[in-house]
Amino acid sequence: MNEQQHVHSGHGSTGARPHGRVPTPLSDGRPARTAVVLGAGGTVGIAYHAGVAKALADAGVHPADADLVVGTSAGSVMGSIVRAGHDLETVWSMARENRHPFREDEPAFRPDVLFKQAWRTPVGLARRLVGSGYVLQRSAMRWPPMSPPLSLQRWYRAGMASTSEQRAELVGWTGEEWPDKDLWLCTVDIVTGRRMVLGQPGNPRPALPDAVRAASAVPGLYPPVRIGRRMLVDGGAHSSTNVDVAVAAGAGRIVVAAPMAFDHDDPPPLHLRAMREMFDRKLERELAGARAAGVDVLVLRPNARQAAVQGLNLMRQDGHSEVAELAYLDTAAALRTASGREFARQWRQTVRQDRQAPPAM
């Protein structure tokens, strides 16, 4: 078992940008030093993140301490929960027991939140199919930039599932306001085909539940979220992790939790690896960019046993307990290795230095 990997380069772990590249600053104007990147993975990914986050915190690598949290899809949900200040034990119990922490006798992953049929008539179904087909096509093929005629936009309704219950659920976890510490949520604008990172300085900051809905709007399944003139879907349409966003922010140390990738030292069988291959290749390219920038990266991704437990249906409503437990156990084991202990030591040292430094002007 080897779930943990480090990515080093000759630059060391200072996070220096090659060729004089200027980092994208945080909201307070300084570059990030530490970042947590939480990738896509459906409800299974949320359970995976719960296990990873608990193991990290137990080792002193508290996700909430990071200068920057970057979330994509499931990672945007977990990232917003972390930044909202919730006790990770609450999230851990939720994932292991499928018990809602705020609703008595309710499951954590409620059917009316995950998939509530969005149509009532055959005509309504047809409109959904047309709209969802357009969104899927634009998510896969982003050139040329295009927008359908306004008359057609009024007719179709993208997304096979209603999200009417999602927003209320998210408000219960995150509230309406963005956290004080940086939280960047990755989306894709289906009109231009470009990635948009909500919460990043210079980019929109809609109400936080709407930003999370946009960052987790799986194309075809959920409707795009309109933010101003943009139609935004799940950032996983660009990358399941978007590690390069954290690298561009100047982070010298990054933890990456990638539920949709796989451990190359202990890969899953072909039928489970096939759906992960594209996402893992993209992650490898992003890690190469991190290597070139001299970033120290702790990469956490499922091994063969974890992939088998996660299965093929990443949006299921139950069966999350073993996913969370294995993610916890394997992450804890990775952090007990010599390189894992050193990463954790350096992370804690960086966090202490940040706390002692004078505030940015």
Side-chain angles (χ1 to χ4, degrees), residues 5-18 21 23 32-37 243-256 286-299 343 346-347:
Q5 302 172 26
H6 269 94
V7 179
H8 292 292
S9 79
H11 296 283
S13 58
T14 62
R17 310 266 69 76
R21 183 176 176 183
R33 297 189 70 194
T34 55
V36 171
V37 174
V243 177
D244 57 318
V245 171
V247 174
R253 259 175 210 95
I254 303 175
V255 177
V256 181
E286 293 169 355
L287 294 177
R291 185 183 303 118
V295 180
D296 192 11
V297 185
L298 175 66
V299 187
F343 182 93
Q346 294 282 354
W347 176 284

Side-chain angles (χ1 to χ4, degrees), residues 221-275:
L221 178 61
Y222 298 128
V225 176
R226 182 181 291 278
I227 305 295
R229 299 177 62 184
R230 304 182 185 277
M231 297 289 289
L232 304 179
V233 297
D234 192 322
H238 176 85
S239 163
S240 73
T241 46
N242 292 286
V243 177
D244 57 318
V245 171
V247 174
R253 259 175 210 95
I254 303 175
V255 177
V256 181
M260 297 188 72
F262 61 87
D263 183 352
H264 293 191
D265 292 331
D266 186 14
L270 182 61
H271 74 285
L272 291 174
R273 194 166 71 241
M275 75 171 187

Side-chain angles (χ1 to χ4, degrees), residues 2-176:
N2 180 22
E3 190 188 61
Q4 179 249 24
Q5 302 172 26
H6 269 94
V7 179
H8 292 292
S9 79
H11 296 283
S13 58
T14 62
R17 310 266 69 76
H19 310 301
R21 183 176 176 183
V22 178
T24 303
L26 300 177
S27 56
D28 63 5
R30 63 183 179 86
R33 297 189 70 194
T34 55
V36 171
V37 174
L38 303 173
T43 60
V44 167
I46 294 175
Y48 178 86
H49 289 316
V52 167
K54 176 173 167 54
L56 289 170
D58 286 353
V61 184
H62 294 277
D65 289 340
D67 290 330
L68 172 63
V69 173
V70 177
T72 302
S73 198
S76 71
V77 177
M78 186 63 186
S80 65
I81 289 173
V82 167
R83 279 302 201 224
H86 289 285
D87 186 347
L88 290 179
E89 290 292 339
T90 300
V91 186
W92 168 245
S93 297
M94 176 197 76
R96 290 184 67 234
E97 302 170 15
N98 194 17
R99 178 169 49 84
H100 202 292
F102 311 132
R103 292 171 176 259
E104 190 174 354
D105 299 326
E106 290 274 5
F109 301 98
R110 292 161 45 208
D112 59 329
V113 173
L114 295 177
F115 188 90
K116 182 179 181 180
Q117 184 174 301
W119 70 92
R120 296 181 179 178
T121 67
V123 172
L125 173 59
R127 296 171 72 181
R128 293 282 170 178
L129 289 171
V130 171
S132 298
Y134 167 74
V135 170
L136 283 169
Q137 184 269 330
R138 292 300 302 158
S139 300
M141 185 183 301
R142 303 178 188 123
W143 187 261
M146 60 179 289
S147 182
L150 188 59
S151 58
L152 182 57
Q153 291 185 46
R154 291 196 181 104
W155 189 83
Y156 75 67
R157 292 290 185 272
M160 304 306 293
S162 169
T163 58
S164 59
E165 299 293 329
Q166 283 187 2
R167 195 182 193 286
E169 182 76 5
L170 289 167
V171 168
W173 280 99
T174 70
E176 296 278 356

